[in-house]
Amino acid sequence: MLAAAVAGALGWSTPLATTRQLACCSRSARPIAALPETSLHDSSLRGAGAAELVRRLSREELRAACASRSLRVSGTKAELAARLQEYAAKPAAAAASAAASGSAAASSSATQPHDSSAAAAAPPRRRTLQGGAAAPSSHGLAPLTASGGSREAQAAADAAPVSGGGGGGGGVCIDRLEGGIVVLRTKTRPKRFGLRGTDGSAYSYLLKGREDLHLDARIMQLLRTVNGLLRADRAVRAASPTGLMHGSAGLRARHYAVLPLSERSGLIRWVEGVTPLYSLYEARLSHAAAQAAPREGGRPQAASPPETPRPADTFYAKLTPALHKAGVPAGAPRRAWPHGVLRSVLLELMRETPRDLIAHELWGRAANAAAGWASSRAYAASAATNSMVGYVVGLGDRHLDNVLLDLSSGELLHIDYNVCFEKGLRLKVAETVPFRMTPAMVSALGPWGVDGPFTSACVAVLRVLRSAREPILALLEAFVYEPLAEWGADRLLHEQRREAEVSVSLTLAASRVDELVAPLAHWRAELSPAVGRLTTAIGPLLDANDSRGPAEARRGGPSAGAP
């Protein structure tokens, strides 16, 4: 069942019947190439399959690869490919010259960086899991170490993505599927499953359907580029080791691996060790309800804990009586809701929500005061980086389930980038805030609030983003040439809606004209006789006026006393 589900998502023509068949297939074939749009390793541009790899890539993917290496992004596809191969050949040539200084024999073999003897003498490298040949025609899995929480793992994922060659490459393949499928209780019902790599490590993925994950994959590429720019900035590097300004981990945006399989499905690497903010909120309310429960002999009575209401339910439970008290009828549109009532309900909810929700968790998990201080600084740096990057890309839909917290390091991780590029402004309830910063999030920033390290980190991130406009715009330019399928559907829906509005307007105009035909005909029929009667009535008056004129002329004009 699990193998059939994964096979169907990957688009196989004949689903595998058993997990054993998938394991045998994955062992016997080569690792899948990495996604060209998210990672392109320099070694893949120097191997035997470099020409084939470049031929399969589009011009925009080559432009994105050049932008991630700070190369010029203008030119034809052939020029971009030559520029990348020249860039990739530089470290290989340096290694070859260093090896040639040892002996003349080594000089003859140093020009082949992938020679088997050189590979055997090289130190062992950490192997990353690629999807073995489970789907030979599909792209490869993105680097699976990208979701690690440590700074070194994230830096390695940013700087050294998985090789994209078609040959063996020494990558770790899928050995087998293990465990069962866990269906999550969200709107799209994603499925979580586990993989066992040939290195013996376990990897968890989320199979998501009815969503286009190309946007998430490109946003992950943008986050990796932003992290590289922040690490390369001298001012950010100077402030990070002290931990006073940007935290000991520095300024970075946590990311994860995303592999789009089609326009409506894809795989997402399951991130371990993070907790949604809503889980923290739910746990606090459950603890408060348990403390308030009736007790017998100092112990709470045996009863099932009450179900925690969702924030939307709590909001409407307070808003409905307030609107009724203000005289607003039930079912009135949102435009009719008084702003004063909305403000009073919001302030009441803010007073009832614990402000120390995040700060309590960070300091409670810390081993000592120094660790708590480091978590607080890392939280401020992470919140600033994610807020500024989200502001630049117009990120919305930041509810409590889409913001995750790593309680061990204090860093935030944002998920679900489907509402991007100011799409939140077109929702039924428009999102006008630039980023999420609630009182509970402000309280966790420390005694300075938003005026301390958070503001300095925001300034640093915006300065780096502004100084690197060209690489970032080159990455985002791919959306212009390769828009998402969802955008095409939205555009078609907008055109259909506009055509429907025009049709309705024309229909109403035609019906109005039909209604006026009969009155206009009646008025026309009545107008001709009325004009005749009017002419007959004013004829004598006109004749009298004409005869009066010559008579007055003969008398020398009207008399002086005449009025």
Side-chain angles (χ1 to χ4, degrees):
M1 176 181 176
L2 176 59
V6 177
L10 294 175
W12 296 335
S13 58
T14 304
L16 298 182
T18 62
T19 306
R20 183 62 180 173
Q21 289 175 323
L22 175 63
C24 294
C25 178
S26 62
R27 293 193 191 98
S28 60
R30 66 182 187 275
I32 305 176
L35 278 175
E37 66 178 11
T38 57
S39 60
L40 185 63
H41 199 267
D42 294 341
S43 62
S44 62
L45 299 172
R46 299 192 297 266
E52 176 65 19
L53 174 63
V54 171
R55 187 185 66 80
R56 290 191 290 106
L57 297 179
S58 65
R59 180 174 178 271
E60 296 309 317
E61 291 169 337
L62 293 175
R63 282 167 55 87
C66 290
S68 62
R69 292 166 172 79
S70 300
L71 301 176
R72 288 193 302 112
V73 296
S74 60
T76 63
K77 181 178 177 180
E79 293 173 349
L80 295 173
R83 198 171 299 149
L84 284 172
Q85 291 176 343
E86 181 182 358
Y87 175 85
K90 290 180 180 179
S97 61
S101 62
S103 62
S107 175
S108 62
S109 62
T111 56
Q112 301 178 357
H114 295 291
D115 185 72
S116 58
S117 60
R125 299 175 59 186
R126 182 179 179 182
R127 307 170 74 190
T128 57
L129 176 66
Q130 307 172 22
S137 61
S138 66
H139 294 295
L141 297 179
L144 300 190
T145 56
S147 61
S150 64
R151 182 184 180 186
E152 293 77 7
Q154 290 274 313
D158 296 334
V162 179
S163 172
V172 178
C173 299
I174 297 177
D175 181 70
R176 64 181 181 274
L177 296 169
E178 63 177 18
I181 289 181
V182 178
V183 181
L184 304 186
R185 295 180 299 174
T186 56
K187 183 175 65 174
T188 58
R189 293 294 188 269
K191 287 79 178 173
R192 179 185 177 186
F193 63 94
L195 301 173
R196 178 68 62 176
T198 53
D199 61 347
S201 300
Y203 304 90
S204 297
Y205 271 86
L206 196 67
L207 178 62
K208 205 168 186 180
R210 292 184 290 176
E211 284 189 19
D212 189 359
L213 296 183
H214 287 87
L215 175 60
D216 293 70
R218 290 172 181 173
I219 294 297
M220 293 302 107
Q221 181 184 6
L222 175 64
L223 294 182
R224 285 190 289 269
T225 302
V226 170
N227 288 345
L229 295 173
L230 292 174
R231 286 197 308 272
D233 188 78
R234 182 177 301 177
V236 173
R237 290 201 313 269
S240 296
T242 61
L244 296 177
M245 298 300 293
H246 306 324
S248 58
L251 295 179
R252 65 166 183 171
R254 290 278 296 273
H255 52 82
Y256 48 89
V258 179
L259 174 60
L261 300 177
S262 67
E263 293 181 352
R264 303 297 295 171
S265 64
L267 292 175
I268 300 177
R269 176 70 190 276
W270 185 268
V271 184
E272 304 289 351
V274 292
T275 305
L277 294 184
Y278 180 74
S279 298
L280 302 180
Y281 172 76
E282 188 177 24
R284 175 66 70 89
L285 293 185
S286 299
H287 178 72
Q291 293 294 326
R295 298 172 175 269
E296 291 182 355
R299 296 182 180 181
Q301 297 180 0
S304 59
E307 183 179 357
T308 304
R310 299 289 298 183
D313 299 335
T314 306
F315 171 72
Y316 283 106
K318 294 182 177 295
L319 178 64
T320 302
L323 292 177
H324 179 72
K325 184 178 180 181
V328 179
R334 291 177 179 270
R335 296 186 299 271
W337 294 355
H339 288 181
V341 175
L342 294 173
R343 181 178 177 84
S344 63
V345 171
L346 174 62
L347 294 177
E348 183 180 357
L349 290 173
M350 291 173 61
R351 288 192 297 268
E352 295 178 358
T353 303
R355 289 178 175 264
D356 63 340
L357 179 65
I358 301 175
H360 181 270
E361 295 293 337
L362 291 178
W363 284 94
R365 298 295 182 94
N368 48 46
W373 175 264
S375 296
S376 178
R377 302 282 67 73
Y379 168 80
S382 178
T385 306
N386 285 283
S387 298
M388 294 301 101
V389 175
Y391 168 71
V392 169
V393 301
L395 181 62
D397 194 28
R398 297 299 89 197
H399 55 78
L400 295 179
D401 283 324
N402 282 347
V403 182
L404 283 63
L405 177 64
D406 189 341
L407 296 175
S408 60
S409 64
E411 292 181 300
L412 292 174
L413 173 66
H414 287 249
I415 61 174
D416 193 357
Y417 290 83
N418 189 39
V419 181
C420 253
F421 304 112
E422 305 298 346
K423 185 178 178 181
L425 295 176
R426 301 190 297 271
L427 298 177
K428 185 177 181 180
V429 180
E431 298 181 354
T432 58
V433 294
F435 51 85
R436 185 182 184 96
M437 185 55 62
T438 58
M441 299 181 70
V442 173
S443 177
L445 295 175
W448 304 278
V450 296
D451 297 325
F454 176 80
T455 298
S456 64
C458 290
V459 172
V461 173
L462 284 180
R463 176 181 55 79
V464 172
L465 294 179
R466 185 173 299 172
S467 62
R469 292 188 299 269
E470 294 184 359
I472 295 176
L473 290 178
L475 290 174
L476 298 179
E477 193 176 359
F479 291 103
V480 178
Y481 298 99
E482 297 180 8
L484 301 178
E486 180 184 354
W487 294 359
D490 292 342
R491 188 182 302 109
L492 179 61
L493 180 62
H494 177 70
E495 293 177 356
Q496 293 176 350
R497 186 178 302 165
R498 185 174 57 185
E499 293 176 358
E501 292 176 354
V502 172
S503 177
V504 170
S505 300
L506 292 177
T507 303
L508 292 176
S511 62
R512 183 58 179 166
V513 170
D514 292 339
E515 293 175 359
L516 294 176
V517 167
L520 288 175
H522 176 71
W523 295 339
R524 181 179 180 180
E526 295 289 337
L527 183 61
S528 298
V531 170
R533 291 192 298 269
L534 180 63
T535 304
T536 304
I538 65 176
L541 180 61
L542 293 176
D543 295 339
N545 189 37
D546 293 340
S547 62
R548 182 183 177 184
E552 292 179 352
R554 287 193 299 270
R555 291 196 302 268
S559 60

